[in-house]
Every structure is written in C-alpha cells, then in structure tokens.
Amino acid sequence: MLSTSKWLPLTVVIAALILIWYAAAVSLNSDAVKRAAGDNEPSTWQFVQLAWELDRPVLPAPHQVGIEIWDTTVGKKITSKRSLLYHAWRTLTPTALGFVLGLIFGIVLAVGIVHNRAIDKSIMPGIIVSQTIPILAIAPMIVVVLGAIGFTGLLPKAIISAYLSFFPITVGMVKGLRSPDPMQLDLMRSYNATKKECLFKLRIPASLPYLFASMKIGVAAALVGAIVGELPTGAQGGLGARLLSGSYYGQTIQIWSALFVAAAAGALLIMLVALVQRRVCANAGR
C-alpha cells in the first residue's frame, strides 16, 4: 500500500500530461489534416487518427515519439549513425570531459575565494556577470577561436560544457566551505590547526552536501553545453546534430525523440552523481 500511494500521484500526473499531449496534437495538426484530406470530410475519429499519424506533424503524438525512440535505439546497431545511442554517446563524451574540467576548476576557484579576500572581491562578481551572457552567443566564438588554433572536435564542446558547469559548482562549494560554525573554526584554531588542516578536516567534509547538490546542477548544465556546442560546429554526430538535422528537414518526430533521449541522459547523469554522493557521504560519516 505504501508503494502504491507513493507512485499513484506521479502516475496520475504523467497520464494527465499524456492526455493533454494527445489533445494538443489533434489541435495543432488540424490544418495539416485538412490539407491532406482535401475535399473528403473525415469523421471525427478518422480526423483524430490522421492527426496522430502524420509523417511530419507540427506536434507528434506520444506513441509516434515512442516508436521512433524504440526504432532508433533497440532497432539500430549502436555503431549506426541512425542510432540515438550512438548520438547520445557522442554527446556524453564531451559532457563528461567538460563536467570534470568544470568540477576541478570550480573547486579550486571556490577554495581560493574562501581563503583569499582579494579573489573573493575581484573574481566572484566577474563569475556572476559571465553567466548573464547567453551561451548561444558564446558557443560560436569558442568554436571559431579554438578552431583557428587547431583545436576542433571534442575540446570546444568540452570547454562549453565546462563553462556552464563550473558556475553552480563554484557557488555551491563556496557556500559549503563557509558552512562550518564559527565555534568549530575557533576550536580548530585553539588546537593550532593550519589553514590546510582546517580545509581538509573541517571545511571540505562540511561542504560535501553542498558540493553534490551543485554537481547535480552542473552535470545537467554540462549536457546542455555539449548539445549547444554541437550546433555551430555542424557536427555529424551527437544529440545536438540530431536536433539540427531534424529542424532542417522538418522531422519533428526526430526532434522530439532526440529531446527525450537527451532528458533521459541528463536524468542518468544526475542519478550517477547521487550514487557517488551516497557512497562518499557514507564513507565520510564513518
């Protein structure tokens, strides 16, 4: 009963969203159905069926997206360029590299901000301002500049991912490193502890919940950065390339299936971070 009561609200919400989606598909595809029917006047049910079966609908029906995802994952070899798993792997590779770079840079920067007032006053405002610039404006510049000095392919996309992911990690880590109570810091100083000892024995253990919370945001942002980074490069592989080709040729079903796979990839990455969090926090609590 507890399990049923836990999943029932989620099931109801998902069912309601699917029903709304089906209704919206009929409404948005109505003009295309009328053009396809011509002088024939289909019945109401025939009209609905046609709206849900268009090859290039304005809004594909849920079952069309589901069939496309099945065909391009299970129905294709993973090495095929028509496989969404192939494209997901091409996107996840720069995502992982960019996230690691953003994680390292964010943690190092946060430590510097906490321990140096000059860095705090000078760099922190600049970091905040940098995030107000739209990534769609920065991504082509990064690709062009790195391409001019010979860096193409994986690295530009990883840099864009790192740019998006380091900010939440930095902010979360700064908050975490400053979370210990002043009395705890005074106690460490009374034991003549150095800044390094305070960092590793007090500040970092106290910052772990903040760090992992920001890492979940950062890894999702890194995925967005990798997808955006594929758009100006004209990449032949990746979820961003799949979205771009779908928009070029009006393949809305392809676009929606790539979006859902990207969402599933983001959820998987967040789950992996949560798994690492449980392991690390469990070991830290011993």
Side-chain angles (χ1 to χ4, degrees), residues 50 56 73 78 140 155 178 228-229 270:
L50 288 171
R56 294 188 178 183
T73 53
I78 194 171
L155 187 60
R178 288 174 172 169
V228 171
I270 293 172

Side-chain angles (χ1 to χ4, degrees), residues 96-116:
L97 178 58
F99 176 66
V100 171
L101 293 175
L103 178 63
I104 295 171
F105 182 68
I107 291 175
V108 171
L109 190 58
V111 172
I113 289 172
V114 169
H115 287 90
N116 190 299

Side-chain angles (χ1 to χ4, degrees), residues 43-230:
S43 65
T44 301
W45 177 239
Q46 289 174 332
F47 189 92
V48 170
Q49 286 182 310
L50 288 171
W52 290 345
E53 299 297 336
L54 291 173
D55 291 333
R56 294 188 178 183
V58 176
L59 176 64
H63 69 272
Q64 290 180 294
V65 177
I67 292 171
E68 175 70 12
I69 292 174
W70 178 268
D71 289 342
T72 52
T73 53
V74 180
K76 296 287 187 298
K77 291 183 179 180
I78 194 171
T79 55
S80 171
K81 291 187 177 181
R82 296 189 64 187
S83 170
L84 276 176
L85 295 178
Y86 166 82
H87 291 286
W89 176 255
R90 292 287 299 270
T91 297
L92 288 174
T93 303
T95 298
L97 178 58
F99 176 66
V100 171
L101 293 175
L103 178 63
I104 295 171
F105 182 68
I107 291 175
V108 171
L109 190 58
V111 172
I113 289 172
V114 169
H115 287 90
N116 190 299
R117 185 176 294 273
I119 295 177
D120 185 15
K121 297 298 183 182
S122 60
I123 294 182
M124 194 62 178
I127 294 173
I128 295 172
V129 170
S130 71
Q131 299 302 303
T132 64
I133 304 174
I135 188 61
L136 288 175
I138 297 178
M141 296 168 57
I142 294 175
V143 171
V144 170
V145 170
L146 292 179
I149 57 178
F151 293 104
T152 58
L154 177 65
L155 187 60
K157 292 181 285 186
I159 295 296
I160 296 169
S161 294
Y163 171 80
L164 285 184
S165 63
F166 93 93
F167 176 73
I169 292 171
T170 301
V171 173
M173 194 62 179
V174 168
K175 179 67 174 178
L177 292 173
R178 288 174 172 169
S179 63
D181 190 273
M183 294 182 63
Q184 294 175 315
L185 292 171
D186 290 340
L187 181 61
M188 293 291 290
R189 295 189 190 101
S190 68
Y191 289 139
N192 200 29
T194 63
K195 285 187 176 182
K196 182 178 179 181
E197 290 173 328
C198 288
L199 175 65
F200 286 98
K201 294 183 178 180
L202 177 60
R203 290 188 184 273
I204 288 181
S207 70
L208 289 179
Y210 299 87
L211 173 62
F212 281 105
S214 61
M215 283 172 62
K216 292 174 184 177
I217 301 172
V219 75
L223 177 62
V224 173
I227 293 174
V228 171
E230 291 168 348

